[in-house]
């Protein structure tokens, strides 16, 4: 093959680069990125459904089996801060392709796991590419898409980000019930293979940015801080929030993250450029995004729990109740992207958050007799609000950064989303556990006090009353949790008023691709 023939594909790719660093034909490459993003986000929710079945097969305590998810989350927190440096060093296109291959290989290993220890070890391996892919796909999106089409692109991209967590419980429940739990890992292999083929065919070549020595001290500090923080909030409910191990981890985490900030401000070439926080639009977007993530994952986690614990639905049916909201978000995400390009983020985010707050407030009306159709209606209304707001606020934050800060901004954005969802769920769970304990103690004290109205019930009647009281306490804790989430969302809507209004102003060229 001649040199001219070899250079032809690269020449065609270079010819499609627009004056602002994007591609004239960017939809195909964007769909390739969506494949990788959807696969990794789906994996975080689909595995949870299989945990009871895995425990039955492999044995182990509840605390042991929880490490299937905990180990994955800990490694994600460690690897994501390094993605900016890896993207510059290896090249975004190569890193994306190799991460897909790594995720497929690790998923296959998870599928052939022979005991709990091997499965946890393979989940650790799976989390390395699983943490890299979401962070670098965002950076790649901003390199290949023209600045005036960012909203539309983020809308399409948001289908994977928003819909995958809602589809996970349904798909996982079906596979576990009718096929087998190992398929929830094997299913990633053909998806990744297709993604690799499409990436080699459709993705442009990305220029390798100038790189410097890896910031070892900064990496060790942030890795220690993130690991201790995530571990403390993952295990705090079982260890006790005031126990020595939990408090020690939190203290080490705070000190390590403070040290990380000092190191990054002093070194010449930091692991993550903390200059992104000098941009108020970016910082504000992180605050709003944190509330959105807490609310979204609270709904995705607690609504299925309510359906199973209170209404008695099996796991698959509980997952199916969440399907309509996933479809609503899949429709709203691209629509909100087009509106973002035209009107900017402010009113999309504010209106979306207010709709989401109202829908969450409706969930405070949950009772033991609430129908699934009511829950579907409330969830779909909330999905409309989340679909309007989520990708708009994320787009507004990253678009406010200079192109040289996009790598660091995308990595920090990814870390904040994961930490916010994890810590938010942990805080809400701790609140619910405390409320349930107090309410149960109060109500059972009344029953044990010898209420004349319960004296005639007999043993069976008292057992039924105790069961009903327990469920009533659970429902009350759910409604109180949703009330708190409602007001957090209203506060985030207030912050949304500070976002940009109007179409994105013009910016200079974004160097994106090279031969």
């Amino acid at each position: 093959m001649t040199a001219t023939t070899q250079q032809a594909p690269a020449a065609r790719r270079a010819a499609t680069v627009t004056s602002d660093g994007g591609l004239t034909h960017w939809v195909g490459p964007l769909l390739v990125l969506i494949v990788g993003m959807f696969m990794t986000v789906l994996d975080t929710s689909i595995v949870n459904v299989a945990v009871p079945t895995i425990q039955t097969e492999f044995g182990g305590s509840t605390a042991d089996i929880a490490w299937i998810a905990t180990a994955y989350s800990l490694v994600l927190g460690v690897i994501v801060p390094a993605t900016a440096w890896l993207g510059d060093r290896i090249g975004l296109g190569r890193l994306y392709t190799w991460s897909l291959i790594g995720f497929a290989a690790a998923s296959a290993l998870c599928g052939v796991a022979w005991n709990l220890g091997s499965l946890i070890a393979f989940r650790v391996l799976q989390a390395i590419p699983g943490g890299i892919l979401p962070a670098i796909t965002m950076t790649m999106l901003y390199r290949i898409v023209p600045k005036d089409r960012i909203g539309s692109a983020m809308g399409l991209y948001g289908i994977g980000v928003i819909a995958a967590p809602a589809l996970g419980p349904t798909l996982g429940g079906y596979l576990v019930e009718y096929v087998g739990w190992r398929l929830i890992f094997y299913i990633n292999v053909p998806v990744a293979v297709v993604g690799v083929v499409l990436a080699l065919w459709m993705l442009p070549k990305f220029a390798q940015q100038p790189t410097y020595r890896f910031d070892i001290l900064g990496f060790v500090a942030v890795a220690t801080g993130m690991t201790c923080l995530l571990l403390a909030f993952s295990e705090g409910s079982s260890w006790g929030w005031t126990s020595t191990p939990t408090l020690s981890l939190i203290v080490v985490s705070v000190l390590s993250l403070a040290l990380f900030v000092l190191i990054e401000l002093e070194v010449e070439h930091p692991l993550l450029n903390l200059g992104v926080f000098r941009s108020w639009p970016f910082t504000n977007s992180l605050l709003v995004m944190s509330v959105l993530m807490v609310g979204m994952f609270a709904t995705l986690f607690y609504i299925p729990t309510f359906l199973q614990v209170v209404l008695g639905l099996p796991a698959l049916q509980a997952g199916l109740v969440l399907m309509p909201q996933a479809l609503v978000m899949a429709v709203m995400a691209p629509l909100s992207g087009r509106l973002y390009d035209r009107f900017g983020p402010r009113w999309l985010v504010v209106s979306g958050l207010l709709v989401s707050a109202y829908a969450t407030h409706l969930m405070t009306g949950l009772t033991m007799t609430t129908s699934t159709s009511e829950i579907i209606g409330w969830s779909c209304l909330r999905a409309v609000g989340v679909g309007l707001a989520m990708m708009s606020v994320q787009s507004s934050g990253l678009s406010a950064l200079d192109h040289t800060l996009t790598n660091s901004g995308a990595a920090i954005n990814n870390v904040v989303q994961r930490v916010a969802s994890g810590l938010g769920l942990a805080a809400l769970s701790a609140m619910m556990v405390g409320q349930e304990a107090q309410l149960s103690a109060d109500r059972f004290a009344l029953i044990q006090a010898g209420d004349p109205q319960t004296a005639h019930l007999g043993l069976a009647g008292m057992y039924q009353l105790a069961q009903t009281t327990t469920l009533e306490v659970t429902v009350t804790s759910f409604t109180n949790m949703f009330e708190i989430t409602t007001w957090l969302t209203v506060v985030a809507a207030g912050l949304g008023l500070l976002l940009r209004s109007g179409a994105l102003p013009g910016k200079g060229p974004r160097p994106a691709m090279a031969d």
Side-chain angles (χ1 to χ4, degrees):
M1 184 180 291
T2 67
T4 303
T5 304
Q6 290 174 330
Q7 293 173 358
R12 284 195 296 270
R13 284 192 294 266
T16 63
V17 179
T18 65
S19 61
D20 69 346
L23 295 171
T24 54
H25 303 290
W26 51 268
V27 175
L30 176 62
L31 294 177
V32 176
L33 300 182
I34 291 174
V35 171
M37 182 64 185
F38 184 87
M39 181 177 64
T40 55
V41 175
L42 181 69
D43 188 78
T44 59
S45 60
I46 195 174
V47 173
N48 294 334
V49 180
V51 166
T53 305
I54 295 173
Q55 185 175 15
T56 300
E57 180 170 334
F58 288 155
S61 66
T62 301
D64 293 335
I65 208 76
W67 276 95
I68 296 173
T70 302
Y72 190 89
S73 298
L74 293 178
V75 177
L76 286 182
V78 171
I79 196 63
V80 169
T83 55
W85 185 87
L86 289 171
D88 288 341
R89 180 75 173 184
I90 300 172
L92 291 170
R94 285 195 198 92
L95 184 59
Y96 179 82
T97 302
W98 281 109
S99 295
L100 281 178
I101 294 172
F103 195 83
S107 297
L109 289 173
C110 289
V112 299
W114 54 90
N115 58 31
L116 183 58
S118 63
L119 178 58
I120 292 173
F122 294 145
R123 283 284 281 171
V124 168
L125 293 178
Q126 189 189 35
I128 296 174
I132 292 172
L133 284 168
I136 65 170
T137 51
M138 183 64 67
T139 302
M140 295 166 76
L141 183 151
Y142 272 78
R143 298 280 181 88
I144 65 176
V145 178
K147 65 178 182 296
D148 60 338
R149 303 304 302 275
I150 286 293
S152 298
M154 288 293 287
L156 293 173
Y157 184 81
I159 295 175
V161 176
I162 299 175
L167 291 173
T170 305
L171 179 59
Y174 176 83
L175 293 177
V176 170
E177 187 168 340
Y178 295 105
V179 183
W181 67 265
R182 295 179 187 272
L183 195 63
I184 67 174
F185 296 110
Y186 289 141
I187 198 173
N188 290 325
V189 177
V191 176
V193 169
V194 171
V196 169
V197 172
L198 292 176
L200 294 174
W201 175 39
M202 302 184 72
L203 283 184
K205 288 189 177 180
F206 292 81
Q208 286 185 238
Q209 304 296 320
T211 54
Y212 305 93
R213 182 179 299 177
F214 187 67
D215 179 14
I216 293 290
L217 291 178
F219 178 74
V220 171
V222 73
T224 302
M226 293 300 299
T227 300
C228 292
L229 184 67
L230 292 171
L231 183 59
F233 279 85
S234 296
E235 302 296 330
S237 58
S238 57
W239 292 347
W241 292 106
T242 58
S243 66
T244 300
T246 302
L247 293 178
S248 299
L249 285 172
I250 292 175
V251 170
V252 172
S253 171
V254 172
L255 294 176
S256 298
L257 292 176
L259 177 63
F260 170 71
V261 172
L262 293 177
I263 291 172
E264 299 307 281
L265 293 176
E266 291 296 328
V267 297
E268 184 178 359
H269 304 293
L271 181 68
L272 290 176
N273 192 333
L274 301 184
V276 295
F277 290 105
R278 296 192 186 99
S279 169
W280 168 247
F282 176 77
T283 304
N284 189 32
S285 74
L286 294 182
L287 296 174
V288 177
M289 178 61 70
S290 297
V291 176
L292 270 169
M293 294 301 294
V294 171
M296 186 173 81
F297 277 89
T299 303
L300 293 175
F301 181 80
Y302 289 116
I303 288 298
T305 303
F306 176 86
L307 292 168
Q308 294 177 69
V309 173
V310 178
L311 300 188
L313 297 183
L316 178 57
Q317 281 186 260
L320 288 173
V321 172
L322 295 180
M323 276 290 288
Q325 74 160 351
L327 297 176
V328 171
M329 286 189 282
V331 172
M332 291 304 302
L335 176 61
S336 68
R338 289 184 173 274
L339 293 173
Y340 171 89
D341 285 335
R342 185 171 181 180
F343 300 109
R346 179 186 298 170
W347 299 114
L348 284 173
V349 173
V350 171
S351 60
L353 287 169
L354 291 177
V355 169
S356 179
Y358 176 68
T360 308
H361 177 69
L362 292 176
M363 293 178 183
T364 63
L366 288 170
T367 67
M368 294 172 59
T369 58
T370 301
S371 65
T372 55
S373 60
E374 287 179 291
I375 294 175
I376 290 173
W378 297 340
S379 299
C380 286
L381 181 61
R382 195 178 192 285
V384 170
V386 172
L388 280 174
M390 178 162 284
M391 302 318 296
S392 296
V393 70
Q394 193 164 342
S395 300
S396 69
L398 290 174
S399 63
L401 299 176
D402 184 85
H403 69 83
T404 59
L405 297 175
T406 304
N407 271 7
S408 292
I412 290 172
N413 187 289
N414 197 273
V415 169
V416 168
Q417 288 186 41
R418 295 184 182 279
V419 171
S421 58
L423 300 192
L425 281 178
L428 291 174
S429 297
M431 181 208 71
M432 290 180 63
V433 169
Q435 280 196 343
E436 286 182 359
Q438 184 61 51
L439 290 171
S440 295
D442 292 344
R443 297 194 184 187
F444 281 110
L446 293 175
I447 294 175
Q448 294 170 1
D451 189 339
Q453 295 182 358
T454 63
H456 66 284
L457 293 178
L459 185 60
M462 289 296 292
Y463 176 78
Q464 182 63 41
L465 178 60
Q467 292 289 96
T468 302
T469 301
T470 299
L471 289 178
E472 288 176 347
V473 166
T474 301
V475 171
T476 300
S477 64
F478 272 108
T479 58
N480 290 341
M481 181 272 298
F482 282 123
E483 188 66 35
I484 291 174
T485 307
T486 297
W487 287 108
L488 283 175
T489 308
V490 171
V491 171
L495 291 173
L497 291 171
L498 303 177
L499 296 174
R500 169 177 56 82
S501 180
L504 186 68
K507 288 187 177 182
R510 287 196 314 256
M513 275 69 67
D515 294 341

